[in-house]
């Protein structure tokens, strides 16, 4: 049991390279979070140090844990949801992904799940996190027309709208914006 955010929570008891947070580490971690990471719906944003901004605009929180820098969202997942895969972070492994669109800053355990790099790319593209630009309904309708006409490649359409090719592919396959008629 670890006391965090005014409540006692049951950590999952796993070890591995991330290990289990002790009470002091949990208190230090909690100081760097705005919101409640155990709330069912609200995001809990990391306010501590962040890693360098990734190619896709995300900037994950970092926490010094047992002398090593670890990602804050992965630490929360490992300690309060379930163990990380043995080869976590390596090519072909599962990653801790976000259900919410906060550029990787949310550490709410209800917003985190394990997924593949491909799922992450599709998710970021549908959220508009590729190159920090969001598509509008009008853009998506224009993109669908261009895709249907077949005169431009997905790559050229992605350059025109300043999004990734994966974002265009996700629109074409209905993975993102599928609700828009």
């Amino acid at each position: 049991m670890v006391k965090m955010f005014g409540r006692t929570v049951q950590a999952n008891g796993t070890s591995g390279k991330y290990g289990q947070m002790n009470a002091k580490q949990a208190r230090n971690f909690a100081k760097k979070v705005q919101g409640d990471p155990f709330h069912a719906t609200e995001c809990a944003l990391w306010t501590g140090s962040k890693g360098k901004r990734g190619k896709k605009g995300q900037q994950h929180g970092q926490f010094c844990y047992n002398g090593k820098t670890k990602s804050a969202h992965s630490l929360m997942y490992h300690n309060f949801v379930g163990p990380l895969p043995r080869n976590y972070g390596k090519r072909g492994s599962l990653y801790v992904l976000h259900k919410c669109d906060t550029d990787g800053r949310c550490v709410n355990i209800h917003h985190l799940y394990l997924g593949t790099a491909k799922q992450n790319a599709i998710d970021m593209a549908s959220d508009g996190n590729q190159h920090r630009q969001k598509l509008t309904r009008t853009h998506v309708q224009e993109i669908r027309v261009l895709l249907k006409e077949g005169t431009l490649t997905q790559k050229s359409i992605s350059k025109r709208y300043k999004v990734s090719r994966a974002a265009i592919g996700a629109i074409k396959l209905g993975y993102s914006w599928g609700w828009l008629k």
Side-chain angles (χ1 to χ4, degrees):
M1 300 290 245
V2 177
K3 187 153 178 98
M4 284 182 96
F5 304 95
R7 65 177 80 176
T8 303
V9 292
Q10 176 66 48
N12 75 21
T14 60
S15 56
K17 74 178 184 176
Y18 274 62
Q20 185 65 50
M21 259 194 252
N22 62 37
K24 182 178 179 184
Q25 291 166 328
R27 279 192 307 275
N28 288 337
F29 190 95
K31 290 176 188 174
K32 296 170 176 35
V33 177
Q34 176 186 356
D36 182 353
F38 305 105
H39 189 276
T41 58
E42 294 175 9
C43 287
L45 299 180
W46 182 255
T47 61
S49 65
K50 297 172 187 76
K52 64 180 182 177
R53 193 169 291 282
K55 292 187 270 192
K56 296 168 179 74
Q58 78 284 9
Q59 195 170 17
H60 294 108
Q62 293 182 327
F63 184 70
C64 186
Y65 181 73
N66 293 339
K68 295 187 178 180
T69 302
K70 303 290 184 184
S71 66
H73 69 291
S74 298
L75 211 82
M76 281 298 288
Y77 186 93
H78 178 76
N79 275 269
F80 300 102
V81 179
L84 296 173
R86 205 177 271 296
N87 61 342
Y88 179 74
K90 304 270 193 288
R91 188 177 182 91
S93 173
L94 294 176
Y95 300 88
V96 177
L97 309 181
H98 294 84
K99 293 177 185 173
C100 52
D101 183 18
T102 58
D103 295 332
R105 296 180 303 134
C106 183
V107 294
N108 184 320
I109 63 170
H110 300 289
H111 298 185
L112 305 174
Y113 67 101
L114 289 178
T116 64
K118 183 176 180 178
Q119 286 173 307
N120 197 30
I122 290 169
D123 182 48
M124 285 192 301
S126 67
D127 286 341
N129 281 339
Q130 299 286 347
H131 305 289
R132 313 284 297 149
Q133 178 165 336
K134 291 188 183 270
L135 295 171
T136 65
R137 290 176 184 218
T138 305
H139 290 149
V140 172
Q141 290 166 333
E142 291 169 357
I143 289 167
R144 285 181 178 158
V145 169
L146 292 171
L147 288 168
K148 192 172 185 177
E149 290 173 351
T151 55
L152 295 175
T153 64
Q154 289 184 26
K155 185 176 181 179
S156 60
I157 295 170
S158 69
K159 285 184 179 180
R160 178 183 286 187
Y161 289 92
K162 296 182 175 83
V163 296
S164 72
R165 202 215 49 82
I168 303 301
I171 292 167
K172 180 179 181 179
L173 296 171
Y175 293 144
S176 65
W177 293 89
W179 54 268
L180 182 63
K181 301 295 175 213

